Amino acid sequence: MNRQELVARIKEKKTYLCVGLDTDITKLPKHLQSHPDAVFVFNKAIIDATKDHCVSYKINTAFYESQGLKGWEAMEKTVQYIPKTHFTIADAKRGDIGNTSSQYAKTFFEVLPFDAVTVAPYMGEDSVRPFLEYTDKWTIVLGLTSNAGSNDFQQLSLSGSGTETRLYETVLRKVASWGTASNLMFVVGATRASDLAHIRTIIPEHFLLVPGVGAQGGSLEEVTRYGLNADAGLLVNASRAVIFASGGEDFAEKANEVAAAYHAEMASYL
């Protein structure tokens, strides 16, 4: 899915919600736990319940890879089931030397039909470049995350350039020069919403994937206020708050209600 198509879907549906399918098998409703294909059955019900309220789904691959072959098969069936009208993200946080990254890119762009994959930029341009070589695919690079450990590296001050700047700012500027606003997005955590205004001065046109709204306490209003641009420029992810809104047999109904509430709030901002 290219940028024009993504922007059109956001404006048509008046939502920039991304539903995170972080499907923890230990948290599935009890009535599904004995099902031989429980993860896919759960995901299918969540997708059916939320597809009218979102424009994207993000699959955190760790929850599937940890289940071995069975989990990988559930992930493959899930991404195939997601409607083609929705933007699909493999939240895999890959990144390695060039020939290895080429294989990761092939996995998520060819073997599995994702529109985007998350990438860690620590190893530099040659580790990211193989993902950027695909047409109408997106590389979503970790920019500023909201976990406590982000202070270990991302927030470090760099003074060698003559003006003090933080490491994450250098990452944003450098990575933005490797691609365009049509094939690069950046991850920016919602619990650092006030940093979005500054980030927008560095990358005003790029889409931002914003996790942390919902269970992690991020404010949708603040994220929108600081991060919205002319094309919306946001995919705000909610995972646990939506998919585990209920642990009972009404899990899909409750997921629909939460997604609809996000949709209504987002529509009021667009």
Side-chain angles (χ1 to χ4, degrees), residues 208-244:
L208 305 177
L209 173 62
V210 185
V213 167
Q216 296 180 52
S219 164
L220 177 57
E221 187 277 328
E222 287 187 353
V223 166
T224 305
R225 187 196 328 157
Y226 295 121
L228 204 69
N229 65 19
D231 285 338
L234 292 173
L235 289 175
V236 174
N237 182 79
S239 300
R240 287 171 289 170
V242 175
I243 69 174
F244 297 129

PDB file of all heavy atoms in Angstrom, residues 208-244:
ATOM      1  N   LEU A 208       4.091   8.672  11.563  1.00  0.00           N
ATOM      2  CA  LEU A 208       4.586   8.175  12.838  1.00  0.00           C
ATOM      3  C   LEU A 208       3.687   7.039  13.302  1.00  0.00           C
ATOM      4  O   LEU A 208       2.461   7.181  13.300  1.00  0.00           O
ATOM      5  CB  LEU A 208       4.584   9.286  13.891  1.00  0.00           C
ATOM      6  CG  LEU A 208       5.331  10.574  13.545  1.00  0.00           C
ATOM      7  CD1 LEU A 208       5.168  11.585  14.678  1.00  0.00           C
ATOM      8  CD2 LEU A 208       6.797  10.301  13.256  1.00  0.00           C
ATOM      9  N   LEU A 209       4.298   5.922  13.659  1.00  0.00           N
ATOM     10  CA  LEU A 209       3.580   4.829  14.302  1.00  0.00           C
ATOM     11  C   LEU A 209       3.711   5.054  15.801  1.00  0.00           C
ATOM     12  O   LEU A 209       4.824   5.057  16.335  1.00  0.00           O
ATOM     13  CB  LEU A 209       4.170   3.477  13.903  1.00  0.00           C
ATOM     14  CG  LEU A 209       3.611   2.255  14.637  1.00  0.00           C
ATOM     15  CD1 LEU A 209       2.113   2.069  14.377  1.00  0.00           C
ATOM     16  CD2 LEU A 209       4.386   0.996  14.255  1.00  0.00           C
ATOM     17  N   VAL A 210       2.575   5.247  16.461  1.00  0.00           N
ATOM     18  CA  VAL A 210       2.592   5.653  17.869  1.00  0.00           C
ATOM     19  C   VAL A 210       1.956   4.570  18.735  1.00  0.00           C
ATOM     20  O   VAL A 210       0.728   4.469  18.820  1.00  0.00           O
ATOM     21  CB  VAL A 210       1.859   6.997  18.060  1.00  0.00           C
ATOM     22  CG1 VAL A 210       1.991   7.471  19.505  1.00  0.00           C
ATOM     23  CG2 VAL A 210       2.408   8.057  17.104  1.00  0.00           C
ATOM     24  N   PRO A 211       2.774   3.745  19.389  1.00  0.00           N
ATOM     25  CA  PRO A 211       2.249   2.800  20.370  1.00  0.00           C
ATOM     26  C   PRO A 211       2.131   3.469  21.734  1.00  0.00           C
ATOM     27  O   PRO A 211       2.657   4.560  21.952  1.00  0.00           O
ATOM     28  CB  PRO A 211       3.313   1.708  20.395  1.00  0.00           C
ATOM     29  CG  PRO A 211       4.583   2.450  20.105  1.00  0.00           C
ATOM     30  CD  PRO A 211       4.215   3.586  19.176  1.00  0.00           C
ATOM     31  N   GLY A 212       1.443   2.816  22.640  1.00  0.00           N
ATOM     32  CA  GLY A 212       1.391   3.319  24.015  1.00  0.00           C
ATOM     33  C   GLY A 212       0.088   3.956  24.423  1.00  0.00           C
ATOM     34  O   GLY A 212      -0.093   4.318  25.581  1.00  0.00           O
ATOM     35  N   VAL A 213      -0.857   4.111  23.473  1.00  0.00           N
ATOM     36  CA  VAL A 213      -2.179   4.627  23.825  1.00  0.00           C
ATOM     37  C   VAL A 213      -3.003   3.472  24.381  1.00  0.00           C
ATOM     38  O   VAL A 213      -2.971   2.368  23.859  1.00  0.00           O
ATOM     39  CB  VAL A 213      -2.875   5.242  22.594  1.00  0.00           C
ATOM     40  CG1 VAL A 213      -4.349   5.497  22.869  1.00  0.00           C
ATOM     41  CG2 VAL A 213      -2.188   6.544  22.206  1.00  0.00           C
ATOM     42  N   GLY A 214      -3.710   3.723  25.442  1.00  0.00           N
ATOM     43  CA  GLY A 214      -4.545   2.663  26.020  1.00  0.00           C
ATOM     44  C   GLY A 214      -3.923   2.088  27.270  1.00  0.00           C
ATOM     45  O   GLY A 214      -3.737   2.781  28.268  1.00  0.00           O
ATOM     46  N   ALA A 215      -3.545   0.811  27.209  1.00  0.00           N
ATOM     47  CA  ALA A 215      -3.048   0.118  28.398  1.00  0.00           C
ATOM     48  C   ALA A 215      -1.791   0.755  28.962  1.00  0.00           C
ATOM     49  O   ALA A 215      -1.525   0.683  30.163  1.00  0.00           O
ATOM     50  CB  ALA A 215      -2.797  -1.354  28.073  1.00  0.00           C
ATOM     51  N   GLN A 216      -0.976   1.398  28.100  1.00  0.00           N
ATOM     52  CA  GLN A 216       0.258   2.012  28.568  1.00  0.00           C
ATOM     53  C   GLN A 216       0.075   3.459  29.024  1.00  0.00           C
ATOM     54  O   GLN A 216       1.024   4.092  29.462  1.00  0.00           O
ATOM     55  CB  GLN A 216       1.332   1.939  27.476  1.00  0.00           C
ATOM     56  CG  GLN A 216       1.737   0.518  27.120  1.00  0.00           C
ATOM     57  CD  GLN A 216       2.800   0.486  26.044  1.00  0.00           C
ATOM     58  OE1 GLN A 216       3.827   1.137  26.144  1.00  0.00           O
ATOM     59  NE2 GLN A 216       2.545  -0.276  24.990  1.00  0.00           N
ATOM     60  N   GLY A 217      -1.135   3.988  28.888  1.00  0.00           N
ATOM     61  CA  GLY A 217      -1.449   5.276  29.481  1.00  0.00           C
ATOM     62  C   GLY A 217      -1.254   6.501  28.618  1.00  0.00           C
ATOM     63  O   GLY A 217      -1.407   7.634  29.083  1.00  0.00           O
ATOM     64  N   GLY A 218      -0.910   6.327  27.344  1.00  0.00           N
ATOM     65  CA  GLY A 218      -0.727   7.479  26.472  1.00  0.00           C
ATOM     66  C   GLY A 218      -2.039   8.175  26.158  1.00  0.00           C
ATOM     67  O   GLY A 218      -3.101   7.555  26.117  1.00  0.00           O
ATOM     68  N   SER A 219      -1.971   9.477  25.927  1.00  0.00           N
ATOM     69  CA  SER A 219      -3.159  10.286  25.647  1.00  0.00           C
ATOM     70  C   SER A 219      -3.346  10.464  24.150  1.00  0.00           C
ATOM     71  O   SER A 219      -2.489  11.032  23.469  1.00  0.00           O
ATOM     72  CB  SER A 219      -3.019  11.659  26.316  1.00  0.00           C
ATOM     73  OG  SER A 219      -3.950  12.577  25.790  1.00  0.00           O
ATOM     74  N   LEU A 220      -4.478   9.998  23.624  1.00  0.00           N
ATOM     75  CA  LEU A 220      -4.773  10.162  22.205  1.00  0.00           C
ATOM     76  C   LEU A 220      -4.897  11.633  21.841  1.00  0.00           C
ATOM     77  O   LEU A 220      -4.411  12.069  20.791  1.00  0.00           O
ATOM     78  CB  LEU A 220      -6.056   9.410  21.849  1.00  0.00           C
ATOM     79  CG  LEU A 220      -6.538   9.549  20.395  1.00  0.00           C
ATOM     80  CD1 LEU A 220      -5.473   9.108  19.410  1.00  0.00           C
ATOM     81  CD2 LEU A 220      -7.823   8.739  20.198  1.00  0.00           C
ATOM     82  N   GLU A 221      -5.498  12.418  22.708  1.00  0.00           N
ATOM     83  CA  GLU A 221      -5.657  13.849  22.432  1.00  0.00           C
ATOM     84  C   GLU A 221      -4.301  14.527  22.294  1.00  0.00           C
ATOM     85  O   GLU A 221      -4.073  15.312  21.370  1.00  0.00           O
ATOM     86  CB  GLU A 221      -6.477  14.498  23.550  1.00  0.00           C
ATOM     87  CG  GLU A 221      -6.850  15.957  23.282  1.00  0.00           C
ATOM     88  CD  GLU A 221      -5.747  16.949  23.638  1.00  0.00           C
ATOM     89  OE1 GLU A 221      -4.991  16.680  24.593  1.00  0.00           O
ATOM     90  OE2 GLU A 221      -5.638  18.000  22.951  1.00  0.00           O
ATOM     91  N   GLU A 222      -3.365  14.212  23.189  1.00  0.00           N
ATOM     92  CA  GLU A 222      -2.043  14.832  23.134  1.00  0.00           C
ATOM     93  C   GLU A 222      -1.258  14.357  21.914  1.00  0.00           C
ATOM     94  O   GLU A 222      -0.599  15.164  21.246  1.00  0.00           O
ATOM     95  CB  GLU A 222      -1.261  14.525  24.411  1.00  0.00           C
ATOM     96  CG  GLU A 222      -1.754  15.275  25.635  1.00  0.00           C
ATOM     97  CD  GLU A 222      -0.837  15.072  26.828  1.00  0.00           C
ATOM     98  OE1 GLU A 222       0.093  14.243  26.726  1.00  0.00           O
ATOM     99  OE2 GLU A 222      -1.051  15.751  27.845  1.00  0.00           O
ATOM    100  N   VAL A 223      -1.308  13.071  21.631  1.00  0.00           N
ATOM    101  CA  VAL A 223      -0.623  12.538  20.455  1.00  0.00           C
ATOM    102  C   VAL A 223      -1.115  13.240  19.200  1.00  0.00           C
ATOM    103  O   VAL A 223      -0.322  13.639  18.334  1.00  0.00           O
ATOM    104  CB  VAL A 223      -0.839  11.014  20.345  1.00  0.00           C
ATOM    105  CG1 VAL A 223      -0.422  10.504  18.964  1.00  0.00           C
ATOM    106  CG2 VAL A 223      -0.064  10.285  21.433  1.00  0.00           C
ATOM    107  N   THR A 224      -2.422  13.415  19.100  1.00  0.00           N
ATOM    108  CA  THR A 224      -3.001  14.055  17.926  1.00  0.00           C
ATOM    109  C   THR A 224      -2.618  15.526  17.859  1.00  0.00           C
ATOM    110  O   THR A 224      -2.248  16.037  16.797  1.00  0.00           O
ATOM    111  CB  THR A 224      -4.537  13.903  17.941  1.00  0.00           C
ATOM    112  OG1 THR A 224      -4.869  12.518  18.042  1.00  0.00           O
ATOM    113  CG2 THR A 224      -5.149  14.480  16.685  1.00  0.00           C
ATOM    114  N   ARG A 225      -2.693  16.207  18.977  1.00  0.00           N
ATOM    115  CA  ARG A 225      -2.373  17.642  19.012  1.00  0.00           C
ATOM    116  C   ARG A 225      -0.957  17.914  18.534  1.00  0.00           C
ATOM    117  O   ARG A 225      -0.700  18.833  17.765  1.00  0.00           O
ATOM    118  CB  ARG A 225      -2.554  18.183  20.422  1.00  0.00           C
ATOM    119  CG  ARG A 225      -2.400  19.706  20.517  1.00  0.00           C
ATOM    120  CD  ARG A 225      -2.199  20.199  21.934  1.00  0.00           C
ATOM    121  NE  ARG A 225      -2.876  19.395  22.938  1.00  0.00           N
ATOM    122  CZ  ARG A 225      -2.506  19.368  24.208  1.00  0.00           C
ATOM    123  NH1 ARG A 225      -1.454  20.076  24.627  1.00  0.00           N
ATOM    124  NH2 ARG A 225      -3.171  18.634  25.078  1.00  0.00           N
ATOM    125  N   TYR A 226      -0.018  17.096  18.978  1.00  0.00           N
ATOM    126  CA  TYR A 226       1.385  17.337  18.653  1.00  0.00           C
ATOM    127  C   TYR A 226       1.842  16.658  17.371  1.00  0.00           C
ATOM    128  O   TYR A 226       2.812  17.105  16.750  1.00  0.00           O
ATOM    129  CB  TYR A 226       2.280  16.859  19.800  1.00  0.00           C
ATOM    130  CG  TYR A 226       2.107  17.614  21.085  1.00  0.00           C
ATOM    131  CD1 TYR A 226       1.727  16.962  22.260  1.00  0.00           C
ATOM    132  CD2 TYR A 226       2.323  18.991  21.140  1.00  0.00           C
ATOM    133  CE1 TYR A 226       1.573  17.652  23.446  1.00  0.00           C
ATOM    134  CE2 TYR A 226       2.171  19.692  22.334  1.00  0.00           C
ATOM    135  CZ  TYR A 226       1.803  19.007  23.490  1.00  0.00           C
ATOM    136  OH  TYR A 226       1.651  19.696  24.667  1.00  0.00           O
ATOM    137  N   GLY A 227       1.170  15.562  16.984  1.00  0.00           N
ATOM    138  CA  GLY A 227       1.697  14.752  15.895  1.00  0.00           C
ATOM    139  C   GLY A 227       0.989  14.847  14.563  1.00  0.00           C
ATOM    140  O   GLY A 227       1.552  14.465  13.537  1.00  0.00           O
ATOM    141  N   LEU A 228      -0.244  15.323  14.551  1.00  0.00           N
ATOM    142  CA  LEU A 228      -1.022  15.359  13.308  1.00  0.00           C
ATOM    143  C   LEU A 228      -0.389  16.311  12.292  1.00  0.00           C
ATOM    144  O   LEU A 228       0.064  17.391  12.649  1.00  0.00           O
ATOM    145  CB  LEU A 228      -2.453  15.802  13.619  1.00  0.00           C
ATOM    146  CG  LEU A 228      -3.551  15.385  12.643  1.00  0.00           C
ATOM    147  CD1 LEU A 228      -3.797  13.888  12.704  1.00  0.00           C
ATOM    148  CD2 LEU A 228      -4.850  16.126  12.954  1.00  0.00           C
ATOM    149  N   ASN A 229      -0.375  15.893  11.021  1.00  0.00           N
ATOM    150  CA  ASN A 229       0.036  16.808   9.955  1.00  0.00           C
ATOM    151  C   ASN A 229      -1.057  16.841   8.884  1.00  0.00           C
ATOM    152  O   ASN A 229      -2.141  16.297   9.090  1.00  0.00           O
ATOM    153  CB  ASN A 229       1.416  16.443   9.397  1.00  0.00           C
ATOM    154  CG  ASN A 229       1.454  15.085   8.691  1.00  0.00           C
ATOM    155  OD1 ASN A 229       0.431  14.543   8.287  1.00  0.00           O
ATOM    156  ND2 ASN A 229       2.650  14.532   8.545  1.00  0.00           N
ATOM    157  N   ALA A 230      -0.769  17.455   7.746  1.00  0.00           N
ATOM    158  CA  ALA A 230      -1.802  17.659   6.728  1.00  0.00           C
ATOM    159  C   ALA A 230      -2.383  16.357   6.193  1.00  0.00           C
ATOM    160  O   ALA A 230      -3.558  16.304   5.800  1.00  0.00           O
ATOM    161  CB  ALA A 230      -1.237  18.499   5.579  1.00  0.00           C
ATOM    162  N   ASP A 231      -1.579  15.297   6.181  1.00  0.00           N
ATOM    163  CA  ASP A 231      -2.037  13.984   5.702  1.00  0.00           C
ATOM    164  C   ASP A 231      -2.419  13.059   6.859  1.00  0.00           C
ATOM    165  O   ASP A 231      -2.499  11.853   6.679  1.00  0.00           O
ATOM    166  CB  ASP A 231      -0.947  13.316   4.869  1.00  0.00           C
ATOM    167  CG  ASP A 231      -0.824  13.927   3.481  1.00  0.00           C
ATOM    168  OD1 ASP A 231      -1.808  14.538   3.015  1.00  0.00           O
ATOM    169  OD2 ASP A 231       0.242  13.791   2.863  1.00  0.00           O
ATOM    170  N   ALA A 232      -2.645  13.629   8.005  1.00  0.00           N
ATOM    171  CA  ALA A 232      -2.840  12.902   9.268  1.00  0.00           C
ATOM    172  C   ALA A 232      -1.478  12.499   9.813  1.00  0.00           C
ATOM    173  O   ALA A 232      -1.089  12.902  10.906  1.00  0.00           O
ATOM    174  CB  ALA A 232      -3.767  11.713   9.152  1.00  0.00           C
ATOM    175  N   GLY A 233      -0.747  11.688   9.056  1.00  0.00           N
ATOM    176  CA  GLY A 233       0.632  11.392   9.418  1.00  0.00           C
ATOM    177  C   GLY A 233       0.788  10.552  10.674  1.00  0.00           C
ATOM    178  O   GLY A 233       1.885  10.458  11.220  1.00  0.00           O
ATOM    179  N   LEU A 234      -0.283   9.939  11.115  1.00  0.00           N
ATOM    180  CA  LEU A 234      -0.249   9.141  12.338  1.00  0.00           C
ATOM    181  C   LEU A 234      -0.921   7.795  12.122  1.00  0.00           C
ATOM    182  O   LEU A 234      -1.960   7.715  11.450  1.00  0.00           O
ATOM    183  CB  LEU A 234      -0.980   9.849  13.479  1.00  0.00           C
ATOM    184  CG  LEU A 234      -0.399  11.133  14.058  1.00  0.00           C
ATOM    185  CD1 LEU A 234      -1.385  11.747  15.053  1.00  0.00           C
ATOM    186  CD2 LEU A 234       0.940  10.867  14.735  1.00  0.00           C
ATOM    187  N   LEU A 235      -0.343   6.773  12.699  1.00  0.00           N
ATOM    188  CA  LEU A 235      -1.025   5.509  12.942  1.00  0.00           C
ATOM    189  C   LEU A 235      -0.883   5.273  14.432  1.00  0.00           C
ATOM    190  O   LEU A 235       0.225   5.025  14.929  1.00  0.00           O
ATOM    191  CB  LEU A 235      -0.397   4.360  12.142  1.00  0.00           C
ATOM    192  CG  LEU A 235      -0.627   4.366  10.632  1.00  0.00           C
ATOM    193  CD1 LEU A 235       0.153   3.231   9.971  1.00  0.00           C
ATOM    194  CD2 LEU A 235      -2.113   4.250  10.306  1.00  0.00           C
ATOM    195  N   VAL A 236      -1.977   5.405  15.155  1.00  0.00           N
ATOM    196  CA  VAL A 236      -1.942   5.245  16.607  1.00  0.00           C
ATOM    197  C   VAL A 236      -2.354   3.826  16.946  1.00  0.00           C
ATOM    198  O   VAL A 236      -3.465   3.404  16.634  1.00  0.00           O
ATOM    199  CB  VAL A 236      -2.865   6.273  17.296  1.00  0.00           C
ATOM    200  CG1 VAL A 236      -2.930   5.999  18.789  1.00  0.00           C
ATOM    201  CG2 VAL A 236      -2.349   7.684  17.039  1.00  0.00           C
ATOM    202  N   ASN A 237      -1.445   3.110  17.577  1.00  0.00           N
ATOM    203  CA  ASN A 237      -1.680   1.702  17.867  1.00  0.00           C
ATOM    204  C   ASN A 237      -2.266   1.490  19.253  1.00  0.00           C
ATOM    205  O   ASN A 237      -1.813   2.087  20.230  1.00  0.00           O
ATOM    206  CB  ASN A 237      -0.365   0.920  17.767  1.00  0.00           C
ATOM    207  CG  ASN A 237      -0.568  -0.560  18.002  1.00  0.00           C
ATOM    208  OD1 ASN A 237      -1.011  -1.281  17.113  1.00  0.00           O
ATOM    209  ND2 ASN A 237      -0.251  -1.016  19.207  1.00  0.00           N
ATOM    210  N   ALA A 238      -3.277   0.643  19.325  1.00  0.00           N
ATOM    211  CA  ALA A 238      -3.819   0.167  20.591  1.00  0.00           C
ATOM    212  C   ALA A 238      -3.898  -1.349  20.496  1.00  0.00           C
ATOM    213  O   ALA A 238      -4.481  -1.888  19.550  1.00  0.00           O
ATOM    214  CB  ALA A 238      -5.191   0.761  20.863  1.00  0.00           C
ATOM    215  N   SER A 239      -3.300  -2.017  21.443  1.00  0.00           N
ATOM    216  CA  SER A 239      -3.255  -3.482  21.413  1.00  0.00           C
ATOM    217  C   SER A 239      -4.108  -4.069  22.527  1.00  0.00           C
ATOM    218  O   SER A 239      -5.284  -4.382  22.331  1.00  0.00           O
ATOM    219  CB  SER A 239      -1.805  -3.970  21.522  1.00  0.00           C
ATOM    220  OG  SER A 239      -1.029  -3.490  20.450  1.00  0.00           O
ATOM    221  N   ARG A 240      -3.534  -4.194  23.714  1.00  0.00           N
ATOM    222  CA  ARG A 240      -4.241  -4.836  24.829  1.00  0.00           C
ATOM    223  C   ARG A 240      -5.568  -4.166  25.148  1.00  0.00           C
ATOM    224  O   ARG A 240      -6.554  -4.837  25.484  1.00  0.00           O
ATOM    225  CB  ARG A 240      -3.347  -4.843  26.065  1.00  0.00           C
ATOM    226  CG  ARG A 240      -2.200  -5.835  26.006  1.00  0.00           C
ATOM    227  CD  ARG A 240      -1.243  -5.644  27.161  1.00  0.00           C
ATOM    228  NE  ARG A 240      -0.456  -4.415  27.023  1.00  0.00           N
ATOM    229  CZ  ARG A 240       0.312  -3.904  27.976  1.00  0.00           C
ATOM    230  NH1 ARG A 240       0.358  -4.489  29.162  1.00  0.00           N
ATOM    231  NH2 ARG A 240       1.004  -2.809  27.762  1.00  0.00           N
ATOM    232  N   ALA A 241      -5.615  -2.833  25.037  1.00  0.00           N
ATOM    233  CA  ALA A 241      -6.842  -2.114  25.381  1.00  0.00           C
ATOM    234  C   ALA A 241      -8.012  -2.542  24.501  1.00  0.00           C
ATOM    235  O   ALA A 241      -9.169  -2.488  24.929  1.00  0.00           O
ATOM    236  CB  ALA A 241      -6.620  -0.611  25.253  1.00  0.00           C
ATOM    237  N   VAL A 242      -7.704  -2.983  23.288  1.00  0.00           N
ATOM    238  CA  VAL A 242      -8.749  -3.414  22.360  1.00  0.00           C
ATOM    239  C   VAL A 242      -8.958  -4.921  22.427  1.00  0.00           C
ATOM    240  O   VAL A 242     -10.056  -5.397  22.723  1.00  0.00           O
ATOM    241  CB  VAL A 242      -8.403  -2.990  20.911  1.00  0.00           C
ATOM    242  CG1 VAL A 242      -9.434  -3.564  19.928  1.00  0.00           C
ATOM    243  CG2 VAL A 242      -8.341  -1.477  20.796  1.00  0.00           C
ATOM    244  N   ILE A 243      -7.893  -5.671  22.170  1.00  0.00           N
ATOM    245  CA  ILE A 243      -8.096  -7.109  21.968  1.00  0.00           C
ATOM    246  C   ILE A 243      -8.394  -7.860  23.266  1.00  0.00           C
ATOM    247  O   ILE A 243      -9.021  -8.924  23.237  1.00  0.00           O
ATOM    248  CB  ILE A 243      -6.908  -7.753  21.220  1.00  0.00           C
ATOM    249  CG1 ILE A 243      -5.636  -7.779  22.067  1.00  0.00           C
ATOM    250  CG2 ILE A 243      -6.659  -7.033  19.911  1.00  0.00           C
ATOM    251  CD1 ILE A 243      -4.488  -8.550  21.407  1.00  0.00           C
ATOM    252  N   PHE A 244      -7.959  -7.309  24.389  1.00  0.00           N
ATOM    253  CA  PHE A 244      -8.255  -7.943  25.677  1.00  0.00           C
ATOM    254  C   PHE A 244      -9.173  -7.068  26.532  1.00  0.00           C
ATOM    255  O   PHE A 244      -9.075  -7.056  27.760  1.00  0.00           O
ATOM    256  CB  PHE A 244      -6.958  -8.270  26.426  1.00  0.00           C
ATOM    257  CG  PHE A 244      -6.087  -9.273  25.717  1.00  0.00           C
ATOM    258  CD1 PHE A 244      -4.748  -9.010  25.493  1.00  0.00           C
ATOM    259  CD2 PHE A 244      -6.615 -10.463  25.246  1.00  0.00           C
ATOM    260  CE1 PHE A 244      -3.944  -9.922  24.831  1.00  0.00           C
ATOM    261  CE2 PHE A 244      -5.820 -11.388  24.582  1.00  0.00           C
ATOM    262  CZ  PHE A 244      -4.478 -11.121  24.371  1.00  0.00           C
TER     263      PHE A 244
END
